[in-house]
Amino acid sequence: MYIDTDLPYKVADIALAEWGRKEIEIAQHEMPGLMALRAKYGAAKPLEGARITGSLHMTIQTAVLIETLVELGADVRWCSCNIFSTQDHAAAAIAAAGVPVFAWKGESLEEYWWCTAMALSFPCANGKNGADCMCSANETNNANGAGCKGPNLIVDDGGDATLLIHKGRAAEIDASTLDVTTGSHEEKIILDTLRTILKEEPRKWHDTVAELRGVSEETTTGVHRLYQMKERGELLIPAINVNDSVTKSKFDNLYGCRESLADGIKRATDTMIAGKVVVVCGYGDVGKGCARSMKSYGARVIVTEIDPICALQAAMEGFEVMTVEDALPEGNIYVTTTGNRDIITLEHMRLMRDQSIVCNIGHFDNEIQMDRLEAAPDVTKLNIKPQVDKYIFGANANANAGANAGTDTGAGCTGAGCTGEKNSRSIFILAEGRLVNLGCATGHPSFVMSNSFTNQTLAQIELWTKQLPVDVYRLPKELDEEVARLHLANLGVRLTKLTDEQAAYIGVSPDGPYKAEHYRY
Ligand SMILES: NC(=O)c1ccc[n+]([C@@H]2O[C@H](COP(=O)([O-])OP(=O)(O)OC[C@H]3O[C@@H](n4cnc5c(N)ncnc54)[C@H](O)[C@@H]3O)[C@@H](O)[C@H]2O)c1
């Protein structure tokens, strides 16, 4: 049986729970927005009765979000949205607290999609064949009807849970939708996962959608996916775009990455950033945070952009703006932040300076051509430690792949092509091209995540308490301002109060909202 809802959780090591709990308690002090929501709604329990699936990095900060949702009345199951981003002690603490969590650091892709399916499958309250088990009547192959209930709400980050449900439902209507040929290793695994589920539970995703009230999406890339699905007429459920709350994208993406990018690079490599040339690809919210971070360390920063407005912004901040190709002779560290694909190609990597560090902080790993790098016959991979790999280019790459790879001593060089000459060039790839701040470090600090997750919680309440028609929504500006307001006292911020005359003069209410919808911050 592929989905087994009798399994209470799957984490790396439940014995880490006590450590996780201590860190959760520390994080709570830095997450005033979430704690304020607990104080405000804890008694009323506006999420009572809601089954919520989360597919979002299983970190300490996410643990505080999960426990907020539980305190507001929800029945929660969780998985991570990246194979490397789970903090095992956070997952253990949440599992020990009784929330079914399926996440560990270093999942295989097969395990990752199994975890997603497990998080999307709730046991029936009255047993597997109980009357409340909505799909038991339709169960043909799955004799005990496990995993019959889907969620009512989803907290998604990058859209993987939403994608599984939509693709799964399409396959229940027409199984040949799974017969596509794809060059993507991960896509093949998704198709295999859906085939397995289709055999065991042929109506699972129809039944899931029937009770699904909506999804709140955390990140830029996931939001792009939602709008594309809406455009194509494929979106089946209402969605709230949390990313474009000002208190999310202008804080988490910018200030979060400003701190966590350096954390990831340093934990992975211990390299000195000062004096290096850092190439930041993309100058959106994440790119702005990354470029500022690297500059603050004393690096010379080069930005690449396709958008003239963002390119001009970068230039006005004093960054050089050029193409990746032009930057190759100079760059020491490369960071992709675009949410787009094929930003760093295999050809780029071949031309980089020896010992360059290449990483991605965008949501998916296809910003760097990892599949092509892995498949290149003249490239050898040498693992340094978890989430840090050296790739050696050149004719003698295989022979030089030993401990002394890249040196001209010849020691450890035993292959036929070994001449003892220094003829290979190496680069380092962090977190196999997946988001470096979560793969090599622990993601953003709690305070900034409190802003993001306060928006997430408000979005979940919106979806559960209102029957929204299918569309993609944003939270109202009043709530955005409220999220910010909840974080002021923690920083000792003293806000100026508008007088009635001032409010009338600029045409707003003294209590807000203070800006028009078109204002860009
Ligand atoms: N790691 C994290 O903690 C974290 C946090 C937030 C967002 N994200 C992810 O980071 C990515 C970027 O998010 P964002 O909010 O900054 O998006 P954004 O849209 O604000 O910025 C992306 C920028 O990349 C530029 N771009 C696109 N294609 C390009 C190309 N070929 N070359 C150069 N530039 C190009 C765009 O013009 C845009 O300015 C997304 O995948 C998002 O989901 C990651």
Side-chain angles (χ1 to χ4, degrees), residues 57 157 219-222 224 243 248-249 252-253 257 260 281-288 304-307 310 324 337-343 360-364 367 435-438 443-444:
H57 312 291
D157 184 348
T219 199
T220 319
T221 287
H224 283 163
N243 181 69
K248 199 285 179 181
S249 49
D252 170 321
N253 305 20
C257 291
S260 60
C281 301
Y283 196 71
D285 291 321
V286 170
K288 287 179 175 73
T304 76
E305 250 299 341
I306 48 132
D307 180 331
C310 299
V324 177
T337 78
T338 68
N340 203 346
R341 55 179 295 177
D342 305 320
I343 302 302
N360 163 50
I361 198 166
H363 193 78
F364 287 120
E367 300 210 23
L435 13 81
V436 62
N437 58 336
L438 284 135
H444 300 334

Side-chain angles (χ1 to χ4, degrees), residues 15-37:
L16 301 175
E18 196 183 327
W19 172 27
R21 179 53 52 194
K22 286 178 190 156
E23 288 206 6
I24 289 169
E25 281 165 16
I26 296 170
Q28 287 173 347
H29 291 283
E30 282 282 288
M31 304 190 85
L34 286 181
M35 300 313 277
L37 291 187

Side-chain angles (χ1 to χ4, degrees), residues 7 16 18 65 68 121 131 138 142 184 203 242 244 270 309 350 361 373 377 461 467 470 495 506 514:
L7 195 64
L16 301 175
E18 196 183 327
L65 167 63
T68 303
S121 306
N138 301 312
N142 186 1
S184 152
R203 282 194 52 83
V242 166
D244 287 298
D270 292 326
I309 296 176
R350 289 187 186 286
I361 198 166
L373 179 66
I461 295 173
Q467 285 276 7
V470 175
L495 206 57
I506 61 171
Y514 301 101

Side-chain angles (χ1 to χ4, degrees), residues 298-317:
R300 183 157 68 84
V301 177
I302 294 173
V303 166
T304 76
E305 250 299 341
I306 48 132
D307 180 331
I309 296 176
C310 299
L312 190 58
Q313 283 180 312
M316 299 297 281
E317 290 291 335

